[in-house]
Amino acid sequence: MPPSLHAEMSVLHRAIVSLARNEQSDAPPPETSESSAEEVVSVGLARMASRTLPTELAKRFEKIQKKLKARKVGSPRRDLGREILELVDPLGHAGWADELMARSLAALPGVGPKRAEGFARRGLERISDLLFWLPTRYEDRRRVVGVGDLEVGRSATFLAEVKVVDWVATRRGGRFGKIFQAVVGDDEAVVTLKWFRGGEMLGAQVAKGRWLLVSGEVRRYRFSKELIHPEIEVVPAPDGTTEGATPGRSSDMTTSEAKSGATSKTDSGARARAGLGRVVPIYATPERMNPRTLRRLIGQSVDAYADLAIGYLPETLTAARKLPSVPDALRALHRPDSKIDVDAYEAFATPSHERLVLEELYLLELGLAMRRAQGARRPGVAIDASRPESRTAAKSLPYRLTGAQRRVVGEILVDLGKPHPMNRLVQGDVGSGKTVVAILAAVAVSACGGQTALMAPTELLAEQHFRTLTKMVEDAGKGMQLRIGLLTASLPRAEIKAVRGLLAMGEIDLVVGTHALVQGEVVFRDLVLSIVDEQHRFGVMQRAALSGARPDGRFPHRLVMTATPIPRSLAMTLYGELDLSVIDELPPGRKPIETILLRAGEGQRVMELIRETLDRKEQVYVVYPLVEESEKLDLRSAIESAEQIARAFPSHRIDLVHGRLDASDRQAAMERFAQAETSILVATTVIEVGVDVAGATLMVIEHAERFGLAQLHQLRGRVGRGGERGRCVLVARGSSEKSEARLRAMTGTRDGFKIADADLEIRGPGDFLGTRQSGHLPELRIADLLRDVQLVSVARQAARDTIEQDPALAGDPATRRAVRKRWGQRIDLTVVG
Ligand code: ADP
Ligand code: MG
């Protein structure tokens, strides 16, 4: 393998520095070292000159060379030495290559500041952005088809002569415009090419009689075929009729040979330019950007900058997996040779793809591993986890813990006994019984005099937790001693003040609340455990708030509970710094929920189902979506529906809860429903997460098509929580491809993880992760946590090994810098090590 650019640069840099130093010093240099340095420099500079380098770098070497030439034997010039040093010095600094790659696109020849700005607005800001903007498709121009063989809906490349050129007036979207169009064809057939914009610029190329190489997707237009904004390239006429020299006719063989040689040469040049016989990379092109310009700029930057990109993967890994270097991988993908397997390239399934994907995942996993290591080293509050209180409390419950619950409580207690803060995620499907697990942890903490905070995403849920817990403690009598408080923003001022006072004095063992817990001056006497329920609902800052250092510098233990079904492989990365506990067992006796899909117009059936349920003395939820932009409207339809149902069932009591009610009214309504004083609860999605009323067995979801899949799954989880069979009615009042797919998934499975997979498939990974990631992980440009599941675990293992040996990456500053750059504010490397 030839030495990498970086290796060559560092040798050259050293040699130039030594020459420049000699030039600065008065003493005549030792003859031998001088001459060998001269040689290294001249060879090195020659090699650099033969490379395609970034303009800035090439210019710098030119200047250095000039100055080196200006030296005179025997009469050193200090100023010259200093100037050379100034020029060469930056190249000795770590990160010079990164700096070059971080330049704006304006550093590329032919890109002015204005254009660079346009690109930057579309996310292509730096040269490195171009380098890693990988082709999404490859167009196979190895095969040129005849115009007669064009198939609608497929991309194709063909040669055709321009027959007619025309401007056609149109009215698109109410605006008058002109389409530039050309009818082109070969001996067999013709096809129309159209340009809605930029036709003026094409006039010179697309002229009658010219031959074009055309590439693009063929569409149907009325009874013929057309290509919109195809890529074109003018090529010489295929039969060589342009010049009269047809080989074999001429008597002068020599001239003829020369001529035909020349013709075929220009011919093949044009063919090469047109990408004929090649596989051409196709890039996702941001709107209003010319695909060919983008491809050209990417090509340029790959030629000049690819060698600057370095890899961070441990060599053992790249060797074991036989991966190409990063520069080679970039070249292979952007400048594919003509023998590639297009399918493998498009599937991101080549060693080059693997290298780049692993590079990206490795930096991601390194950050996670460092964050983990950092957390694991902080001082925490160890409690005596062997005390009997939490076992006693478990015994005093009205039910036996499931095996999974017992296991998870055990895992938590072990963590609580350690002198470093716990960081644990408890994942369990809706209804798996996460709350009681959290409570038992709080009991263990309070037995040792510590406090626990439980933060819920909505006031409704906080209020419910508070109610459930109070009752649980009351029922358990002496078995469970826990002083509980509630803190939400909509409580009366005086009450908030009182609760705060009690917290500060240590008179409350477990405080349940919303983000009000982290606002203002809430002071804990001894916060040992902070629990976040349904953490995906919180912003990053709020999530972090309760796990910050206590006044004594120690960190509370942290427990995160989520029912959001996330495929396990993803959970490991999304919550990479957390340890994972899974409650993979539902309490016994749960009967599977039946899911019924109804359409608009089947309102009668809904009423029947409600009546049946009420006749069995069971309760009903009717849920309306509450979408912000039409909040008032939705509220009105919820109110109307409540009135309608009330009229239909005059002997039953009905309540309406929504986000606009104040806390006490809402709490009272929930209480009435929980006590079965009301039979029907009409609600907006404020009841989505966690609401727990055992007597409710029917869930009617209106406008089910407007809910997300995770939301539907959560809502469905609200019924069938007691011994009775639950039913969930999805009333679809509209339909789209995606909403139908969601509804199909809901009727097809009840398994949260299968739902998550379906969700992912329907929404696509970007969107799916977007809402969950909410900024706590760096963005991935190449890797895809789903497509590359296998590689994620390879990268994670490599990262954990690395961090185990060198927790702060002290021995590898380049990688450390890269991690910091990738993670930005989200990781604090200063505390590590
Ligand atoms: P989630 O995991 O969705 O938060 P909850 O903690 O709200 O679930 O529990 C759901 C219901 O299951 C509650 O009514 C709770 O009392 C009940 N429950 C929890 N654990 C058990 C168990 N081991 N046996 C029977 N019922 C249980
Ligand atoms: Mg819950």
Side-chain angles (χ1 to χ4, degrees):
M1 225 181 3
S4 74
L5 173 66
H6 285 265
E8 276 182 36
M9 286 282 294
S10 85
V11 171
L12 182 57
H13 171 257
R14 266 200 306 274
I16 294 176
V17 166
S18 108
L19 286 188
R21 292 244 165 85
N22 285 343
E23 191 69 14
Q24 278 192 303
S25 77
D26 287 330
E31 198 53 38
T32 50
S33 83
E34 172 81 347
S35 66
S36 74
E38 291 280 2
E39 199 176 312
V40 170
V41 169
S42 78
V43 170
L45 284 177
R47 288 189 57 107
M48 287 301 160
S50 72
R51 279 183 181 267
T52 310
L53 291 177
T55 327
E56 201 183 319
L57 198 56
K59 282 209 180 115
R60 190 178 286 265
F61 280 126
E62 262 170 46
K63 278 189 201 156
I64 290 176
Q65 191 153 29
K66 242 194 228 150
K67 300 220 183 273
L68 285 171
K69 275 212 185 105
R71 291 172 309 152
K72 292 212 183 64
V73 187
S75 56
R77 280 173 53 196
R78 283 162 178 262
D79 57 328
L80 204 56
R82 189 174 38 81
E83 283 166 22
I84 296 173
L85 273 182
E86 262 167 26
L87 280 168
V88 80
D89 242 11
L91 303 181
H93 289 299
W96 64 270
D98 289 351
E99 261 166 47
L100 276 180
M101 284 193 295
R103 292 282 143 87
S104 130
L105 303 198
L108 292 173
V111 180
K114 209 162 157 206
R115 195 184 230 178
E117 207 176 286
F119 275 95
R121 267 201 306 275
R122 297 179 180 95
L124 292 170
E125 192 178 354
R126 310 182 169 104
I127 301 217
S128 58
D129 293 336
L130 286 184
L131 282 183
F132 292 97
W133 190 263
L134 297 189
T136 48
R137 254 177 1 91
Y138 289 86
E139 203 160 271
D140 203 339
R141 295 191 187 165
R142 291 174 294 199
R143 218 169 75 86
V144 177
V145 299
V147 177
D149 297 327
L150 295 180
E151 281 177 51
V152 170
R154 299 204 137 203
S155 290
T157 302
F158 56 92
L159 279 168
E161 184 186 7
V162 180
K163 315 262 187 199
V164 183
V165 180
D166 209 358
W167 281 98
V168 185
T170 59
R171 247 183 86 179
R172 287 211 309 165
R175 285 207 324 217
F176 289 97
K178 271 175 139 191
I179 304 179
F180 180 65
Q181 67 177 40
V183 176
V184 302
D186 54 18
D187 303 344
E188 291 172 36
V190 293
V191 65
T192 307
L193 314 181
K194 285 185 183 167
W195 287 269
F196 295 108
R197 311 178 290 273
E200 299 80 3
M201 324 264 272
L202 288 165
Q205 296 175 61
V206 185
K208 191 167 173 349
R210 285 275 173 80
W211 278 82
L212 302 177
L213 180 76
V214 185
S215 279
E217 194 187 317
V218 182
R219 306 201 200 180
R220 179 176 310 286
Y221 179 69
R222 298 200 180 141
F223 295 104
S224 59
K225 295 170 193 163
E226 66 176 19
L227 285 87
I228 313 276
H229 292 202
E231 286 205 29
I232 53 149
E233 193 80 40
V234 180
V235 291
D239 53 8
T241 46
T242 27
E243 303 275 317
T246 318
R249 267 213 206 141
S250 169
S251 52
D252 186 349
M253 285 306 285
T254 344
T255 340
S256 142
E257 261 174 29
K259 267 197 179 167
S260 82
T263 314
S264 77
K265 204 168 177 191
T266 39
D267 202 352
S268 78
R271 283 166 63 93
R273 250 186 291 120
L276 196 54
R278 282 206 298 129
V279 177
V280 177
I282 305 294
Y283 298 91
T285 311
E287 213 181 324
R288 297 163 62 84
M289 205 186 270
N290 181 338
R292 278 205 291 169
T293 309
L294 179 63
R295 184 161 62 225
R296 181 172 53 77
L297 290 179
I298 291 177
Q300 276 178 13
S301 50
V302 169
D303 292 346
Y305 289 83
D307 276 322
L308 303 188
I310 57 169
Y312 302 99
L313 289 177
E315 245 172 70
T316 45
L317 184 67
T318 55
R321 299 185 77 90
K322 299 200 175 56
L323 300 178
S325 71
V326 171
D328 285 345
L330 288 171
R331 275 187 287 266
L333 300 181
H334 288 294
R335 296 251 188 240
D337 73 36
S338 60
K339 291 186 253 353
I340 68 161
D341 172 357
V342 168
D343 289 340
Y345 269 61
E346 292 191 342
F348 271 57
T350 70
S352 300
H353 284 102
E354 186 176 323
R355 172 81 203 219
L356 299 183
V357 165
L358 274 178
E359 284 291 341
E360 187 168 46
L361 291 175
Y362 182 60
L363 292 184
L364 171 79
E365 295 289 343
L366 275 179
L368 289 172
M370 289 171 90
R371 209 146 77 166
R372 224 173 104 92
Q374 179 182 322
R377 229 184 273 207
R378 286 171 160 167
V381 190
I383 65 159
D384 177 5
S386 65
R387 292 178 62 103
E389 279 84 351
S390 98
R391 243 169 301 136
T392 314
K395 285 206 194 92
S396 67
L397 294 171
Y399 45 75
R400 272 170 59 89
L401 293 185
T402 62
Q405 284 171 320
R406 254 200 307 279
R407 189 188 69 239
V408 172
V409 171
E411 287 166 355
I412 294 170
L413 289 183
V414 168
D415 282 0
L416 292 177
K418 291 184 184 158
H420 301 291
M422 163 174 76
N423 254 317
R424 188 169 284 281
L425 173 71
V426 175
Q427 198 182 29
D429 210 344
V430 275
S432 61
K434 292 183 291 294
T435 317
V436 69
V437 167
I439 299 326
L440 294 176
V443 169
V445 165
S446 87
C448 301
Q451 291 173 301
T452 299
L454 169 56
M455 192 158 83
T458 61
E459 298 207 334
L460 195 91
L461 197 54
E463 289 153 10
Q464 174 194 280
H465 274 321
F466 178 68
R467 244 190 346 265
T468 318
L469 298 181
T470 312
K471 184 160 185 305
M472 198 187 277
V473 171
E474 272 170 17
D475 291 351
K478 284 227 169 332
M480 195 186 291
Q481 302 200 335
L482 210 56
R483 294 165 298 177
I484 307 175
L486 175 69
L487 192 62
T488 65
S490 53
L491 287 174
R493 279 255 173 95
E495 215 162 306
I496 293 178
K497 214 170 151 210
V499 173
R500 283 183 175 176
L502 292 172
L503 276 175
M505 287 186 297
E507 303 282 320
I508 288 178
D509 302 312
L510 169 63
V511 63
V512 181
T514 52
H515 52 275
L517 279 175
V518 300
Q519 281 164 352
E521 56 286 8
V522 180
V523 176
F524 291 86
R525 204 177 96 91
D526 187 14
L527 181 65
V528 171
L529 172 61
S530 94
I531 305 174
V532 182
D533 196 13
E534 306 295 348
Q535 88 147 0
H536 65 284
R537 292 261 173 149
F538 291 98
V540 187
M541 297 313 286
Q542 291 167 341
R543 271 197 306 243
L546 277 175
S547 48
R550 315 181 335 156
D552 66 0
R554 295 188 291 169
F555 290 81
H557 295 288
R558 186 157 73 114
L559 192 63
V560 173
M561 304 196 292
T562 181
T564 312
I566 300 172
R568 269 153 230 250
S569 59
L570 268 186
M572 292 292 285
T573 290
L574 289 185
Y575 302 106
E577 79 272 31
L578 302 178
D579 294 312
L580 186 63
S581 286
V582 183
I583 307 185
D584 47 7
E585 187 183 351
L586 292 181
R590 295 273 169 84
K591 300 200 181 72
I593 302 165
E594 183 188 357
T595 306
I596 303 162
L597 177 58
L598 297 178
R599 302 283 169 179
E602 295 186 276
Q604 209 42 50
R605 180 88 185 99
V606 177
M607 286 301 186
E608 275 165 34
L609 285 164
I610 295 179
R611 183 179 307 282
E612 283 171 26
T613 309
L614 295 176
D615 286 348
R616 282 198 303 268
K617 305 257 178 303
E618 293 162 9
Q619 294 162 278
V620 180
Y621 291 106
V622 180
V623 172
Y624 271 80
L626 190 60
V627 187
E628 263 162 57
E629 53 270 25
S630 57
E631 198 175 332
K632 278 199 189 122
L633 210 113
D634 286 312
L635 187 54
R636 180 140 30 87
S637 55
I639 292 169
E640 274 165 18
S641 148
E643 284 165 357
Q644 195 189 342
I645 296 170
R647 278 196 300 276
F649 304 102
S651 57
H652 290 275
R653 290 188 59 183
I654 178 168
D655 255 325
L656 175 66
V657 295
H658 52 80
R660 295 264 182 96
L661 287 186
D662 63 38
S664 59
D665 290 347
R666 198 170 52 213
Q667 209 170 341
M670 288 311 296
E671 186 68 39
R672 285 194 293 273
F673 192 63
Q675 299 301 330
E677 286 168 27
T678 45
S679 318
I680 305 170
L681 188 67
V682 178
T684 60
T685 40
V686 286
I687 66 156
E688 176 198 337
V689 261
V691 169
D692 184 42
V693 175
T697 60
L698 178 64
M699 163 70 64
V700 179
I701 305 176
E702 278 289 344
H703 283 287
E705 78 283 354
R706 280 163 53 180
F707 290 86
L709 200 40
Q711 244 180 340
L712 290 173
H713 180 65
Q714 272 281 356
L715 283 170
R716 179 167 62 181
R718 298 307 111 215
V719 293
R721 296 166 81 85
E724 305 310 321
R725 185 184 178 83
R727 281 196 284 195
C728 174
V729 179
L730 305 170
V731 186
R733 299 195 177 276
S735 137
S736 70
E737 203 177 306
K738 287 195 172 185
S739 75
E740 289 303 312
R742 288 195 293 268
L743 297 173
R744 257 199 315 279
M746 281 297 288
T747 47
T749 181
R750 286 180 297 267
D751 179 328
F753 287 103
K754 290 212 184 97
I755 295 270
D757 286 340
D759 199 10
L760 203 61
E761 204 169 292
I762 296 166
R763 298 208 293 178
D767 186 24
F768 181 87
L769 294 176
T771 54
R772 284 167 174 76
Q773 210 164 294
S774 45
H776 81 285
L777 289 184
E779 214 177 301
L780 293 172
R781 291 189 291 193
I782 299 173
D784 174 332
L785 292 177
L786 296 157
R787 183 194 60 211
D788 303 320
V789 162
Q790 229 80 45
L791 295 179
V792 171
S793 58
V794 170
R796 180 183 313 128
Q797 198 49 55
R800 290 202 172 171
D801 291 349
T802 303
I803 293 306
E804 204 164 290
Q805 291 182 6
D806 184 0
L809 291 175
D812 188 354
T815 305
R816 187 184 156 99
R817 248 196 335 273
V819 172
R820 185 198 289 274
K821 204 161 90 197
R822 194 50 72 84
W823 279 79
Q825 298 294 315
R826 285 167 292 229
I827 195 164
D828 182 6
L829 294 189
T830 51
V831 245
V832 180

